[in-house]
Amino acid sequence: MTTFGWILMICSLSFVVSLTVWCYKRVLSLPPEEKKSVKDIHSA
């Protein structure tokens, strides 16, 4: 593989890994979802 190929592969892998870490961090840091009461579910 050429030098350009190695540079492209390293950039691509680092982008994918950083995007995965960012997404996991964002999803896991969300506040817990509030539970709705049973009264709201059967209001129809």
Side-chain angles (χ1 to χ4, degrees):
M1 191 175 349
T2 64
T3 305
F4 179 72
W6 278 102
I7 293 171
L8 190 62
M9 183 178 66
I10 290 170
C11 289
S12 176
L13 284 174
S14 62
F15 174 73
V16 169
V17 169
S18 63
L19 186 64
T20 303
V21 167
W22 180 80
C23 288
Y24 272 112
K25 183 180 176 184
R26 181 148 172 106
V27 168
L28 293 176
S29 65
L30 290 176
E33 187 177 316
E34 294 182 18
K35 293 183 178 181
K36 294 183 179 181
S37 65
V38 178
K39 188 182 274 186
D40 291 340
I41 295 173
H42 299 290
S43 63

